[in-house]
């Protein structure tokens, strides 16, 4: 077990699972930011810059509550032809997003920030390319019913049934799931 003690600025179940299975000991704290407002205010940023900004803001927002601890912030953005996909709150939006991604190549971008004492120690981004199969409306509906990919980047849960939706994937599965595990391991090495 890795006895590195840090705080994950996220309440994401999949991020917690990735770190737990990797053997890390950590706490979690919900980030104190309005993600929607930050996205609205920073529309001029590229998706990469936006993912890094959100990761930094998440980590910084929690840093003051845990002085002397490393805080990890991570943010994931799905893009197709420079369009940033919102994380769906309703099944209808998830189906709409999947219909748009069907048969096309898109990117998952994962921003990462590590902060200590409100100072940014590391900021980076990671990218994966995915090509979705051509999906019929019935297949999309069946997938959304089965996996309930609400609040999921790209409207799919790659860690679950979502990986069955793809023709090909080029990139780290952890990046696709929203947490660049290798980069975190390298940082604490």
């Amino acid at each position: 077990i890795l006895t590195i003690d840090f705080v994950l600025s996220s309440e994401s179940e999949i991020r917690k699972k990735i770190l737990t299975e990797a053997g890390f000991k950590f706490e979690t704290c919900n980030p104190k930011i309005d993600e929607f407002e930050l996205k609205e205010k920073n529309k001029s940023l590229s998706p990469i810059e936006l993912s890094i900004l959100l990761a930094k803001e998440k980590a910084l927002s929690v840093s003051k509550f845990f002085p002397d601890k490393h805080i990890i912030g991570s943010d994931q953005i799905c893009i197709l032809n420079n369009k940033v996909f919102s994380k769906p709150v309703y099944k209808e939006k998830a189906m709409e997003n999947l219909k748009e991604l069907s048969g096309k190549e898109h990117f998952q971008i994962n921003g990462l920030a590590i902060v200590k004492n409100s100072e940014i120690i590391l900021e980076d981004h990671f990218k994966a390319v995915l090509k979705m199969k051509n999906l019929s409306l019935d297949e999309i509906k069946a997938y959304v019913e089965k996996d309930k990919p609400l609040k999921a980047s790209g409207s799919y849960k790659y860690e679950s049934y979502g990986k069955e939706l793809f023709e090909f994937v080029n990139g780290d599965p952890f990046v696709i799931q929203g947490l660049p595990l290798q980069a975190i391991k390298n940082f604490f090495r």
Side-chain angles (χ1 to χ4, degrees), residues 48-66:
I48 288 171
E49 292 167 327
L50 185 62
S51 72
I52 293 171
L53 172 80
L54 289 167
K56 287 194 291 195
E57 292 298 326
K58 286 176 182 180
L60 287 166
S61 76
V62 166
S63 189
K64 54 186 166 273
F65 303 107
F66 299 91

Side-chain angles (χ1 to χ4, degrees), residues 75-125:
D75 188 73
Q76 187 177 21
I77 293 179
C78 176
I79 33 175
L80 170 72
N81 303 328
N82 284 330
K83 176 188 173 179
V84 174
F85 281 75
S86 61
K87 293 172 185 163
V89 183
Y90 304 105
K91 285 181 183 177
E92 296 73 24
K93 184 63 183 166
M95 286 175 59
E96 194 182 300
N97 287 348
L98 289 168
K99 203 160 87 179
E100 202 172 330
L101 291 169
S102 174
K104 298 186 190 101
E105 211 173 277
H106 66 280
F107 297 100
Q108 284 286 1
I109 292 175
N110 204 174
L112 174 70
I114 299 179
V115 166
K116 189 172 183 182
N117 290 322
S118 297
E119 265 187 64
I120 297 159
I121 298 170
L122 178 140
E123 59 179 271
D124 207 346
H125 77 281

Side-chain angles (χ1 to χ4, degrees), residues 6-188:
F6 60 82
V7 179
L8 175 66
S9 180
S10 173
E11 288 297 308
S12 156
E13 290 307 318
I14 186 61
R15 287 186 180 125
K16 289 185 215 174
K17 185 174 182 261
I18 289 169
L19 290 170
T20 302
E21 286 178 359
F24 283 107
K25 174 180 171 268
F26 63 98
E27 292 172 76
T28 61
C29 181
N30 226 350
K32 315 290 182 234
I33 64 164
D34 183 336
E35 213 172 305
F36 182 77
E37 190 185 306
L38 274 168
K39 283 179 180 174
E40 282 299 302
K41 268 194 215 160
N42 294 284
K43 280 185 168 166
S44 62
L45 295 181
S46 74
I48 288 171
E49 292 167 327
L50 185 62
S51 72
I52 293 171
L53 172 80
L54 289 167
K56 287 194 291 195
E57 292 298 326
K58 286 176 182 180
L60 287 166
S61 76
V62 166
S63 189
K64 54 186 166 273
F65 303 107
F66 299 91
D68 301 325
K69 281 200 175 187
H70 286 96
I71 314 294
I72 293 179
S74 183
D75 188 73
Q76 187 177 21
I77 293 179
C78 176
I79 33 175
L80 170 72
N81 303 328
N82 284 330
K83 176 188 173 179
V84 174
F85 281 75
S86 61
K87 293 172 185 163
V89 183
Y90 304 105
K91 285 181 183 177
E92 296 73 24
K93 184 63 183 166
M95 286 175 59
E96 194 182 300
N97 287 348
L98 289 168
K99 203 160 87 179
E100 202 172 330
L101 291 169
S102 174
K104 298 186 190 101
E105 211 173 277
H106 66 280
F107 297 100
Q108 284 286 1
I109 292 175
N110 204 174
L112 174 70
I114 299 179
V115 166
K116 189 172 183 182
N117 290 322
S118 297
E119 265 187 64
I120 297 159
I121 298 170
L122 178 140
E123 59 179 271
D124 207 346
H125 77 281
F126 307 86
K127 200 194 269 189
V129 186
L130 302 93
K131 179 161 191 227
M132 200 170 274
K133 294 173 185 169
N134 273 312
L135 302 171
S136 69
L137 212 47
D138 286 345
E139 288 171 314
I140 290 172
K141 196 173 184 172
Y143 168 72
V144 170
E145 285 302 319
K146 184 161 72 169
D147 226 5
K148 298 179 181 37
L150 303 181
K151 296 189 179 154
S153 180
S155 303
Y156 54 83
K157 292 182 178 176
Y158 190 80
E159 65 279 6
S160 183
Y161 301 109
K163 66 169 66 82
E164 297 166 12
L165 304 175
F166 297 96
E167 224 170 87
F168 79 81
V169 172
N170 185 353
D172 181 344
F174 292 115
V175 167
I176 298 166
Q177 293 172 57
L179 194 71
L181 181 63
Q182 196 53 54
I184 293 167
K185 284 180 172 177
N186 293 347
F187 177 82
F188 288 117

